[in-house]
Amino acid sequence: MELYYLRTQQAQEKMERSEKRLNERLRVCVATCNRADYSKLAPIMFGIKSHAEIFDLEVVVLGSHLIDDYGNTFRMIKQDEFDIHAKLHTIVRGEDEAAMVESVGLALVKLPDVLQRLAPDILLVHGDRFDALALATAAALMNIRILHLEGGEVSGTIDDSIRHAISKLAHYHAVCTRSAERHLISMCEDHSHIILAGCPSYDKLLSAHQRDDYTDIIKSWLGDDVKEQSYIVALQHPVTTDIQNSIKIYELMLDALISFNKRTLILFPNIDAGSKEMVRVMRRKGIEQHPNFRAVKHVPFDQFIQLVSHAGCMIGNSSCGVREAGAFGTPVINLGTRQTGRETGENVLHVRDADTHNKIYHALELQFGKRYPCSKIYGDGNAVQRILKFMQSIDLSEPLQKKFCFPPVKECISQDIDHILETQSALAVDLGGTNLRVAIVCMKGKVVKKYMQLNPKTFEERIELMLTMCKQAMADAVHLNCRILGVGVSTGGRVNPQDGIVLHSTKLINEWSSVDIRTPISSALHLPVWVDNDGNCATLAERKFGHGKGVENFVTIITGTGIGGGIIQHNELIHGSTFCAAELGHIVVSLEGPECMCGSHGCIEAYSSGLALQREAKRLHDEDLLLVEGMSVNNKEQVNATHLLNAARLGNSKAESILHTAGTALGLGIVNILHMINPSLVILSGVLAEHYENPVRQVISQRALLSAQGTKVMVSELEDPALLGAASMVLDYTTRRTY
């Protein structure tokens, strides 16, 4: 009973406080430091002003607003008819790291008097500037509630640290994106004190960027001869944690813009450390006098919207490029690391490692004049009304002490121009019975460059030669503009692909059993290495580049010196419990057949392989039954399968009979495969494939169950299936990862 009365009393007190607040206006102090944050704060200020019965607006102006070199932008606040309650000169000139620290200190000296006089209920602070950090520090120490706008976002440079520091000082948060909200929650902020509002500037730009007079605005800033989408907007700021590199990038950007030869509106950088040096670079290159450039210190936001929305491209590292420009679908080139981690639309191309003029110039070629779908990642045009409603809900009687929790952090995803400028490639190695081949293979399956040597007879020589060839290929890859992602190795024999070990080799490759291939290659090249047998590799090649692309269940039969293959079941390659799945050449099709190299009798390989046909050709030749009119064999020439094929083609009935038997044996083996795993496609690969296509189809039609007779049989069109399959192991795995 006592608890009931206590809760009733608490509810009544809360209701009385709410009624009292309805009769009192909420004093909201908006502090603006520069032209950029004013573009975000102005829509909220207009909203507050339009609800004078609820809010009492107080405006504090400080920072670069009050500096002539940066346009004296406080004037636009007056033009918007806002009363300025305090102007604080807080910038210590010098534009270096020490000046930034001194500016924060000067602001902390001057702010207490102003905040004490205004006594706001809530202080609105925006973003990640050092001036804003001074504001948040002063307000937090004076027990003034802070509403932080655009916290939780991720970008490069010292801005991240400042933004997150302000978030920790702030009591309430108005964020732009769902990811920013999750980041704040992961930073232990109270979820109930966070509003997903969107970016306030979107409220204005989504409704105002299609003004009828946009052509007049373009002409007034860029000249009468400039048309829509024929110019560039450039805005690059210094990166305070890497000033020298940011100056270098700025210089490269200017060189690229000069070479690109398009009319460009370039804005002066902000007041951060390094800006003075950037301005010197701009003047040293004569940008202010260059006929293609218009260099300006400030553009009113409503006009800037028009210029960005109708530009052929925007370039630099301003947050406007990765945020506001997306609302118009304007193509953007983001240079350097200042915005690393920001959520972006598909209109943004990142050039984080902007170390050459050509790289930036190529980005301009890719982006200029394009148009992308409009993105609303950062807002839908209703941010202000959400923020005003959120401020009304703040209970001033609540204690200022913050609550904390510990959820996980979600990673950001982006892209980089290096994925466009460099061709993602793999090193493919094929260890055959005769030759050792290495190739650079690109993502589309093109062999960029190939290397071939005779396969050495000893293990040591083979490994040494393989590493030498791979190192040569990697050196060449740099000049061919190929980024090597890893090494794939195709080899004969039974392979454990999990450990990269050849368990048992074929008799054609000496000293190649119980061999660890992965370790020496990976150690020497510092790259990931994948290993599998040649039949499986040929099957992987078909899945990625050949007839097996998009087929869920298929089998590949390799017809060459031996008979091998691979099985794809439910889009996955089958290895088996001891890695001997798909040893298709050793399917027995006759109990009394010829001896196979495996020691058994009647295997497909004993009938249909190149070695089996060579054996039969020699037998016919020894019996003088091989040669027919139009054929000859040099005494020094070794009789092989090719002679048997030629004899059959010229009408030798004995040779025809042998090939018919070989084709029938292969067909019977494939019928067994159809009855066991029921694939929808059989791919014949290797040098003998076209000779076996019709016999195999005939056997399937005669011997297979009715439900399997419709299985497709196709001859591979791939030239180097073993190399392509080795490459596909690398390309399929490494490109699953998000960059």
Side-chain angles (χ1 to χ4, degrees):
M1 199 69 172
E2 185 177 340
L3 180 62
Y4 169 78
Y5 283 119
L6 179 62
R7 287 178 176 172
T8 303
Q9 183 180 359
Q10 289 173 342
Q12 187 173 354
E13 288 174 356
K14 189 172 183 179
M15 189 178 298
E16 288 173 357
R17 286 197 301 267
S18 298
E19 289 174 356
K20 184 179 179 183
R21 278 200 52 204
L22 289 175
N23 299 321
E24 293 182 1
R25 295 192 298 173
L26 189 68
R27 293 190 305 279
V28 180
C29 178
V30 178
T32 173
C33 310
N34 54 61
R35 67 191 181 198
D37 76 10
Y38 182 66
S39 68
K40 315 293 179 69
L41 293 168
I44 302 173
M45 293 163 67
F46 280 113
I48 292 172
K49 191 175 180 181
S50 67
H51 291 80
E53 73 284 0
I54 301 172
F55 302 104
D56 184 9
L57 176 63
E58 300 167 336
V59 180
V60 175
V61 176
L62 65 159
S64 60
H65 271 310
L66 303 170
I67 297 179
D68 182 61
D69 286 353
Y70 294 88
N72 277 326
T73 49
F74 76 92
R75 294 194 188 104
M76 63 186 180
I77 302 173
K78 288 187 172 181
Q79 289 170 2
D80 287 338
E81 299 182 350
F82 289 114
D83 294 329
I84 297 176
H85 295 74
K87 288 195 289 187
L88 299 178
H89 292 270
T90 58
I91 297 298
V92 176
R93 300 306 299 272
E95 285 79 21
D96 58 14
E97 295 96 329
M100 290 169 62
V101 177
E102 290 169 357
S103 297
V104 172
L106 183 57
L108 285 171
V109 169
K110 293 187 174 185
L111 278 167
D113 287 341
V114 172
L115 294 177
Q116 201 164 31
R117 172 169 58 84
L118 297 176
D121 296 317
I122 299 171
L123 174 69
L124 255 65
V125 178
H126 170 270
D128 48 32
R129 307 294 301 140
F130 59 85
D131 325 68
L133 179 60
L135 281 162
T137 303
L141 291 172
M142 296 180 71
N143 287 327
I144 297 170
R145 286 174 167 79
I146 302 165
L147 171 57
H148 185 207
L149 304 179
E150 299 187 4
E153 296 181 16
V154 180
S155 66
T157 79
I158 195 67
D159 293 355
D160 261 350
S161 300
I162 293 175
R163 185 186 312 108
H164 300 330
I166 295 171
S167 292
K168 300 314 298 175
L169 292 167
H171 304 84
Y172 305 95
H173 311 273
V175 299
C176 298
T177 69
R178 185 69 66 185
S179 289
E181 179 184 34
R182 284 194 287 260
H183 290 155
L184 282 178
I185 294 169
S186 300
M187 289 164 60
C188 313
E189 295 302 309
D190 186 347
H191 195 182
S192 65
H193 286 192
I194 303 170
I195 176 71
L196 176 56
C199 181
S201 64
Y202 268 55
D203 288 25
K204 187 172 184 180
L205 61 89
L206 288 177
S207 60
H209 80 276
Q210 289 292 354
R211 280 171 45 171
D212 295 335
D213 63 345
Y214 71 87
T215 55
D216 296 332
I217 294 171
I218 293 171
K219 289 176 181 179
S220 68
W221 288 99
L222 287 148
D224 292 337
D225 58 333
V226 178
K227 293 182 171 52
E228 180 180 7
Q229 296 185 28
S230 67
Y231 61 90
I232 297 169
V233 174
L235 179 52
Q236 179 86 357
H237 300 303
V239 177
T240 56
T241 51
D242 193 3
I243 292 173
Q244 292 306 312
N245 187 50
S246 64
I247 293 168
K248 177 188 172 185
I249 292 174
Y250 189 67
E251 188 167 3
L252 291 170
M253 179 191 78
L254 295 178
D255 289 340
L257 287 169
I258 291 169
S259 301
F260 200 64
N261 199 30
K262 299 290 182 187
R263 193 66 60 83
T264 301
L265 178 72
I266 184 165
L267 280 80
F268 277 61
N270 65 20
I271 200 168
D272 283 350
S275 60
K276 187 186 294 183
E277 288 84 352
M278 291 174 74
V279 173
R280 286 192 188 123
V281 169
M282 184 171 70
R283 287 176 173 157
R284 190 171 67 245
K285 291 185 177 292
I287 294 300
E288 290 170 294
Q289 292 78 40
H290 196 287
N292 269 351
F293 287 83
R294 298 290 184 273
V296 298
K297 294 177 179 177
H298 170 66
V299 179
F301 184 67
D302 58 341
Q303 296 184 41
F304 188 65
I305 289 171
Q306 307 303 316
L307 293 166
V308 171
S309 66
H310 298 286
C313 179
M314 184 175 183
I315 187 170
N317 64 2
S318 169
S319 61
C320 176
V322 298
R323 297 169 65 96
E324 282 84 356
F328 319 125
T330 301
V332 172
I333 300 164
N334 178 50
L335 301 178
T337 59
R338 189 170 184 263
Q339 302 300 336
T340 298
R342 289 269 195 198
E343 295 173 80
T344 65
E346 60 183 290
N347 64 308
V348 179
L349 175 62
H350 297 279
V351 191
R352 294 195 180 92
D353 189 14
D355 52 357
T356 66
H357 159 278
N358 287 341
K359 192 175 282 190
I360 300 173
Y361 187 89
H362 188 71
L364 284 164
E365 288 182 317
L366 288 171
Q367 288 287 76
F368 185 78
K370 278 189 178 180
R371 227 61 202 165
Y372 291 90
C374 295
S375 165
K376 293 186 179 179
I377 293 174
Y378 286 95
D380 59 3
N382 298 301
V384 171
Q385 66 185 50
R386 293 190 185 109
I387 292 170
L388 296 182
K389 188 175 180 181
F390 181 63
M391 284 195 295
Q392 284 182 266
S393 70
I394 293 173
D395 186 354
L396 298 180
S397 65
E398 278 188 359
L400 285 168
Q401 183 60 50
K402 297 171 66 169
K403 300 175 184 177
F404 301 95
C405 55
F406 301 90
V409 179
K410 184 183 176 184
E411 294 181 351
C412 281
I413 299 169
S414 192
Q415 61 173 342
D416 196 286
I417 192 173
D418 283 339
H419 286 284
I420 297 169
L421 295 183
E422 291 184 315
T423 305
Q424 291 184 334
S425 306
L427 275 190
V429 179
D430 177 33
L431 281 150
T434 305
N435 295 317
L436 171 57
R437 300 187 300 159
V438 174
I440 302 169
V441 181
C442 73
M443 186 65 69
K444 294 182 179 178
K446 178 185 176 184
V447 176
V448 180
K449 191 169 184 179
K450 192 190 300 184
Y451 311 79
M452 186 168 69
Q453 298 281 350
L454 289 175
N455 194 348
K457 299 300 182 184
T458 66
F459 166 76
E460 291 80 7
E461 292 176 333
R462 189 174 298 125
I463 290 292
E464 184 179 353
L465 178 60
M466 191 189 314
L467 292 177
T468 301
M469 293 172 71
C470 286
K471 288 175 181 177
Q472 179 62 54
M474 288 186 66
D476 292 344
V478 175
H479 303 295
L480 294 168
N481 209 28
C482 294
R483 177 185 291 183
I484 301 299
L485 302 175
V487 183
V489 181
S490 167
T491 180
R494 186 162 66 94
V495 176
N496 175 350
Q498 297 171 3
D499 299 328
I501 296 174
V502 180
L503 300 173
H504 297 104
S505 174
T506 65
K507 293 181 179 179
L508 299 174
I509 309 178
N510 299 324
E511 298 184 18
W512 206 238
S513 294
S514 301
V515 172
D516 179 0
I517 304 179
R518 175 177 295 159
T519 300
I521 299 176
S522 182
S523 299
L525 304 182
H526 306 291
L527 286 170
V529 178
W530 288 263
V531 186
D532 213 328
N533 77 29
D534 47 9
N536 284 339
C537 284
T539 304
L540 291 173
E542 293 293 341
R543 183 179 71 175
K544 187 167 183 65
F545 304 114
H547 294 312
K549 194 170 185 179
V551 180
E552 186 177 4
N553 302 293
F554 71 91
V555 173
T556 301
I557 310 291
I558 316 299
T559 60
T561 306
I563 299 290
I567 300 168
I568 297 291
Q569 193 78 354
H570 303 303
N571 295 314
E572 295 293 334
L573 182 66
I574 303 301
H575 285 100
S577 60
T578 58
F579 312 108
C580 68
E583 288 289 351
L584 307 180
H586 300 291
I587 294 175
V588 176
V589 292
S590 172
L591 297 176
E592 305 297 331
E595 185 178 2
C596 180
M597 290 184 71
C598 71
S600 184
H601 287 77
C603 298
I604 296 174
E605 191 168 292
Y607 284 103
S608 311
S609 67
L611 287 176
L613 297 183
Q614 182 181 36
R615 181 193 67 224
E616 292 300 305
K618 286 181 178 179
R619 181 179 63 78
L620 289 181
H621 188 257
D622 292 344
E623 298 173 2
D624 291 330
L625 298 175
L626 178 65
L627 300 182
V628 295
E629 187 177 349
M631 282 187 67
S632 64
V633 177
N634 192 309
N635 290 334
K636 296 181 180 180
E637 188 179 359
Q638 186 177 10
V639 175
N640 55 42
T642 304
H643 295 107
L644 186 74
L645 295 172
N646 287 337
R649 181 175 54 82
L650 294 171
N652 185 325
S653 60
K654 297 287 186 181
E656 288 175 347
S657 176
I658 291 169
L659 284 178
H660 179 266
T661 300
T664 302
L666 182 62
L668 288 173
I670 291 173
V671 167
N672 289 332
I673 295 169
L674 299 185
H675 292 166
M676 281 189 289
I677 59 175
N678 192 28
S680 60
L681 172 66
V682 174
I683 301 171
L684 300 178
S685 182
V687 294
L688 299 172
E690 61 182 17
H691 299 286
Y692 288 143
E693 181 182 10
N694 289 330
V696 166
R697 284 179 175 166
Q698 188 175 3
V699 173
I700 290 174
S701 66
Q702 294 171 352
R703 302 292 191 97
L705 293 173
L706 187 62
S707 57
Q709 288 179 10
T711 305
K712 287 183 181 179
V713 178
M714 303 179 76
V715 174
S716 174
E717 296 177 354
L718 300 179
E719 291 185 11
D720 288 299
L723 285 173
L724 293 178
S728 76
M729 290 190 289
V730 178
L731 300 174
D732 277 349
Y733 183 82
T734 54
T735 54
R736 287 178 193 167
R737 301 175 182 176
T738 305
Y739 179 77

